[in-house]
Amino acid sequence: MSQVAVSTPVPSRRRFADFIELIGSMRFAISLLTLISIASVAGTVLPQNQPLNNYVDQFGPFWARLFDLLQLYNVYNAGWFLLIMTFLVLSTSVCLWRNAPTLLRDAMSFREHARETSWRSFPHRAEAHADAAPAQAAERAERWLTRRGFRVRARAQGEGMVVAAKAGAGNRLGYICAHLAIVVICVGGLFDSELPIRLQVWLGGKQPVYENMRLADVPGSGRLSVDNPGYRATALIPEGVQTANSVVMLGDGALVQPLPFQIRLDKFTVDYYATGMPSDFRSDVTVTDPQTGESFPYTIRVNEPLTYKGVTVYQSSFDDGGSSVTLTGYALDGLGGEPFRVQGVIGDTVELADAAAPGPAGALRFTALRPINVENVEQAGAAQPMALGEHVAAVTGSAVRDLGRRFQNVGPSIEYQLVDAAGQVSEFHNYMLPVTLDDQRVFLLGTRRNAQESFRYVRIPAGEDGTLTEFLQLRATLADGEARAEAARRFARRNTEGGQGAAAAQEMARAVEDSANRALDVFADGGLQALTAFLEANVPADELPRAAEVVVRLLGGAMADLRAVSREAHGLPPVDAASLALAQQQDAWLRQSLAALSDLSLYPAPVAFVLSDFKHVQASVFQLNRSPGKLAVYTGCLLLVMGVFAMFYVRERRLWVWLRPEGGGSRALMAMTSQRRTLDFNQEFKRLEAEFARLYGKRGDK
């Protein structure tokens, strides 16, 4: 007969016991602590809560997406991290539940029921003979050990007596305090994390808002309770505005967190270092209790928060509060007609078609107003000769270079974005006033492709009236073919008069005119880059440096005549070069114009907007925290310190004295033990052994 194997199902009680055994094991707890340590390293190394584009630029699309899936950009509020913390709480709690009663019983026990054979097996023991009966000898031992700081208990054992003593029992409590500290700290951390808000989303029907809308328009599902036990929110409050709401960010969404009070920003003040960095910023606020109607003023500083009704308000940063600005648009191709104006508020977007702006249709987005810009404007040394292609790098770069330690406020600036019809965005940063760099007053027009790049600036020389007008007139003249031809004729005539015969002079003039006209045409189409490409395609490599030097001189001379043509066309007097200083000044203006005209061929927009007027409105950014777990964390830290101190610095020692009748007196046996038999323990035993011998009279060896 064949046998059939029958599987016996594992009882559910046994499965639960196995689960408790796993949860409460030391290996499981160490594994959790290892995972938390690794996650903490990732949270320290990787910048937290940054826009995803920042991580894409830093790590590349693949790794940025992988890190995003693993929630490494918000480690301490990631679901898996909170789950690990929860399991660590469970594991440590199970350890306490299983071991704390035993440890407490052992700490309170004197172990006075041991046998003589056990005491004689201790390596630290001594014997002596007392001249008194066991009861009297036991009293003598009790007094002696009490003076030595031991807790003592005596009991009769047959005809003899046992005196049990212990010291340092708090060592066992250190284990309990340390493990209890882990539980308390983790529970406090979970209370102060996003877990309570996530539970409201998962179980309470709350839904984060993902689109932009006014706080007043947020539905009830996107609002938390004013009695929410814990949160970390932010609030941007402009000057003169009062609010009772803040915003809690949850992933890519947001929830409105009402406050138990109203806060009004009366005035925001910021102080600066000489370098332009903020040295101190503070907010003068008025706090109103809606229940009582009472209000009080308070000044919130960076390290001096406001705490009211369980909510702590920190000064986080500052921002624009909706400043109104007026920008003047200039067509950079020189053919766009008269300048035009655009008005708006920081943060708003206007359609350029509505502003009758030249160039392709698009939108202008006002992003930031900076009323103060402290820059290093120390004068540079003399300019060094450079190759043709290096001119662009010389003028397209940071706004000012690190040339010394003299800082100066160069005035307001505006940041804006241009969005074309295809949705492509370019960012710009333009200064309102001309800045003196290298003894030349220039307007700085900055541009970059995205927020991860630094702005690169085009330096446009200011005219005699301190505006962009003459430069833009020169730009328009350069775009006119007839004006370029006239400038080439003047240049040729000016440089071929006299010397050779008439026929030779005419031939030379035509050659110079053709070269100057060709240089102006190529430069007008693509700037110095186009000239470089033209020379590389038509001149042998070994002759390229000399040809580049000739072309630069040719172009510079032709541009001087082009400037004269431009000034005549616009009714301006000829350039005043009566003195050497004036001549050098005009030459510097022309060189800067040449470089700027070349750079504008790379400028990503046909129009530049310069700040004309503004009304600045400050706003303060507050961080508002309600941290119910803070007290728990502080308590846990105290318990942890006590537990570690008890485990490492409190030595548990146990000592027994066994007395039995012998020859009209008593025979005494002393034994001592400890969990850690260190050098200090050995020295203590030697002292006690000597005192024991003096107490009864020595009769044996250790």
Side-chain angles (χ1 to χ4, degrees):
M1 179 181 293
S2 61
Q3 295 181 351
V4 179
V6 179
S7 60
T8 304
V10 179
S12 58
R13 178 179 296 180
R14 179 61 182 171
R15 288 197 296 268
F16 178 75
D18 292 341
F19 175 75
I20 293 297
E21 183 69 25
L22 172 65
I23 290 293
S25 65
M26 180 178 295
R27 287 177 297 178
F28 186 74
I30 292 176
S31 300
L32 293 177
L33 286 172
T34 302
L35 291 176
I36 290 176
S37 300
I38 295 174
S40 299
V41 170
T44 302
V45 174
L46 291 177
Q48 299 290 291
N49 301 312
Q50 299 292 319
L52 183 59
N53 291 338
N54 293 13
Y55 301 111
V56 173
D57 292 336
Q58 185 174 0
F59 304 110
F62 173 77
W63 291 108
R65 181 59 179 167
L66 178 61
F67 292 162
D68 187 39
L69 290 175
L70 296 176
Q71 296 180 292
L72 296 183
Y73 305 143
N74 190 15
V75 170
Y76 304 110
N77 285 305
W80 55 267
F81 185 83
L82 298 177
L83 184 63
I84 292 175
M85 292 278 288
T86 303
F87 271 105
L88 182 60
V89 171
L90 292 176
S91 176
T92 312
S93 300
V94 170
C95 287
L96 282 174
W97 172 61
R98 295 172 58 184
N99 299 322
T102 303
L103 292 172
L104 290 174
R105 285 195 301 268
D106 189 66
M108 293 184 293
S109 172
F110 284 85
R111 302 181 188 176
E112 69 270 23
H113 297 285
R115 296 178 176 273
E116 179 185 0
T117 55
S118 300
W119 295 324
R120 290 190 178 277
S121 66
F122 288 0
H124 295 79
R125 66 184 185 279
E127 292 188 56
H129 182 78
D131 56 1
Q136 289 77 18
E139 292 179 0
R140 192 184 306 173
E142 288 185 62
R143 291 193 296 271
W144 165 55
L145 293 174
T146 301
R147 289 196 304 270
R148 298 296 298 174
F150 286 85
R151 296 179 59 193
V152 182
R153 175 180 293 179
R155 63 178 294 270
Q157 185 171 331
E159 297 180 353
M161 294 288 295
V162 174
V163 179
K166 63 179 180 179
N171 175 272
R172 300 301 180 94
L173 297 178
Y175 173 90
I176 297 176
C177 288
H179 284 69
L180 183 60
I182 295 176
V183 174
V184 173
I185 290 174
C186 290
V187 169
L190 290 173
F191 270 110
D192 287 348
S193 68
E194 291 182 357
L195 183 60
I197 296 179
R198 289 177 182 267
L199 290 176
Q200 296 182 56
V201 173
W202 296 336
L203 306 176
K206 298 299 181 181
Q207 297 180 356
V209 176
Y210 295 95
E211 62 272 10
N212 291 328
M213 65 172 61
R214 297 188 308 165
L215 294 181
D217 298 334
V218 175
S221 60
R223 293 179 175 272
L224 300 170
S225 171
V226 69
D227 298 322
N228 192 20
Y231 52 83
R232 180 172 297 173
T234 58
L236 187 149
I237 308 177
E239 288 181 332
V241 175
Q242 178 174 279
T243 185
N245 293 303
S246 59
V247 176
V248 176
M249 300 304 300
L250 192 63
D252 295 331
L255 293 165
V256 176
Q257 173 61 61
L259 302 175
F261 53 82
Q262 295 178 338
I263 181 169
R264 173 189 173 90
L265 178 62
D266 298 321
K267 183 180 180 181
F268 178 82
T269 306
V270 58
D271 298 328
Y272 295 90
Y273 292 111
T275 59
M277 295 297 293
S279 61
D280 180 41
F281 43 94
R282 55 195 178 275
S283 299
D284 296 328
V285 301
T286 299
V287 180
T288 303
D289 189 335
Q291 296 180 348
T292 63
E294 298 180 354
S295 61
F296 61 90
Y298 195 87
T299 299
I300 303 175
R301 297 176 181 268
V302 174
N303 295 318
E304 300 177 10
L306 162 69
T307 301
Y308 185 64
K309 287 195 169 184
V311 179
T312 303
V313 184
Y314 296 92
Q315 179 70 66
S316 176
S317 61
F318 57 93
D319 206 338
D320 192 277
S323 301
S324 58
V325 295
T326 300
L327 306 185
T328 300
Y330 297 93
L332 296 179
D333 58 4
L335 304 176
E338 295 296 324
F340 62 96
R341 293 201 168 191
V342 179
Q343 295 180 334
V345 176
I346 298 298
D348 290 350
T349 301
V350 298
E351 296 295 331
L352 292 179
D354 298 337
L364 171 64
R365 184 179 301 152
F366 306 94
T367 55
L369 170 68
R370 298 182 180 179
I372 297 177
N373 290 273
V374 178
E375 302 283 5
N376 181 359
V377 293
E378 189 71 29
Q379 296 299 313
Q384 300 296 322
M386 58 188 67
L388 181 64
E390 296 176 348
H391 282 278
V392 176
V395 295
T396 305
S398 62
V400 290
R401 293 172 286 172
D402 188 11
L403 305 172
R405 294 290 182 182
R406 187 167 64 89
F407 295 92
Q408 178 181 331
N409 179 18
V410 296
S413 66
I414 185 70
E415 290 187 20
Y416 62 90
Q417 295 177 343
L418 288 179
V419 185
D420 61 18
Q424 298 295 322
V425 179
S426 299
E427 299 186 34
F428 302 89
H429 178 215
N430 298 340
Y431 287 80
M432 180 179 184
L433 303 175
V435 180
T436 301
L437 298 176
D438 299 329
D439 294 323
Q440 181 71 43
R441 298 179 70 231
V442 294
F443 286 93
L444 297 173
L445 306 183
T447 180
R448 65 182 179 185
R449 291 176 296 178
N450 52 64
Q452 286 68 52
E453 294 182 353
S454 298
F455 283 105
R456 296 175 63 83
Y457 291 84
V458 177
R459 302 181 184 181
I460 297 182
E464 296 174 352
D465 57 354
T467 67
L468 294 170
T469 303
E470 184 177 359
F471 174 82
L472 294 176
Q473 291 172 351
L474 180 62
R475 172 74 168 170
T477 305
L478 180 64
D480 186 353
E482 294 184 1
R484 293 198 301 269
E486 175 62 23
R489 284 192 295 271
R490 293 188 183 188
F491 175 75
R493 186 166 56 249
R494 187 162 50 85
N495 287 274
T496 57
E497 291 179 348
Q500 304 177 8
Q506 291 179 359
E507 184 66 24
M508 177 63 72
R510 283 195 296 270
V512 173
E513 181 180 345
D514 290 342
S515 298
N517 201 10
R518 186 180 301 110
L520 288 174
D521 289 344
V522 174
F523 180 77
D525 289 338
L528 294 176
Q529 298 88 348
L531 272 177
T532 301
F534 177 81
L535 291 176
E536 290 175 348
N538 295 278
V539 177
D542 55 345
E543 299 181 9
L544 190 59
R546 181 174 177 275
E549 183 179 354
V550 172
V551 170
V552 168
R553 293 180 178 178
L554 182 69
L555 181 62
M559 285 297 298
D561 290 286
L562 186 68
R563 184 187 183 189
V565 173
S566 175
R567 292 178 69 90
E568 290 176 7
H570 293 89
L572 298 177
V575 171
D576 185 3
S579 65
L580 179 61
L582 290 175
Q584 291 176 345
Q585 181 179 352
Q586 299 301 335
D587 288 343
W589 190 94
L590 192 60
R591 285 196 304 271
Q592 188 67 63
S593 298
L594 184 68
L597 290 169
S598 178
D599 286 343
L600 288 179
S601 64
L602 303 176
Y603 198 74
V607 179
F609 291 93
V610 178
L611 184 64
S612 301
D613 193 13
F614 65 91
K615 180 180 180 182
H616 189 217
V617 178
Q618 291 273 29
S620 190
V621 180
F622 297 112
Q623 179 175 311
L624 303 100
N625 292 356
R626 173 175 278 176
S627 305
K630 180 171 63 176
L631 181 60
V633 172
Y634 290 160
T635 303
C637 291
L638 179 61
L639 287 173
L640 185 61
V641 172
M642 294 170 55
V644 171
F645 181 86
M647 288 190 294
F648 286 95
Y649 297 100
V650 177
R651 295 181 297 110
E652 182 186 27
R653 293 98 67 207
R654 291 182 180 270
L655 187 147
W656 296 267
V657 177
W658 179 63
L659 300 156
R660 64 182 176 86
E662 183 182 69
S666 302
R667 185 178 180 181
L669 171 65
M670 182 186 74
M672 187 175 182
T673 187
S674 176
Q675 288 181 326
R676 298 192 298 271
R677 295 170 186 173
T678 60
L679 179 62
D680 291 339
F681 172 75
N682 293 330
Q683 293 176 348
E684 183 181 14
F685 176 75
K686 289 181 180 180
R687 291 193 299 269
L688 293 175
E689 182 184 24
E691 295 176 4
F692 177 74
R694 291 193 298 269
L695 185 67
Y696 294 125
K698 186 174 181 181
R699 188 189 166 179
D701 298 329
K702 183 179 90 170

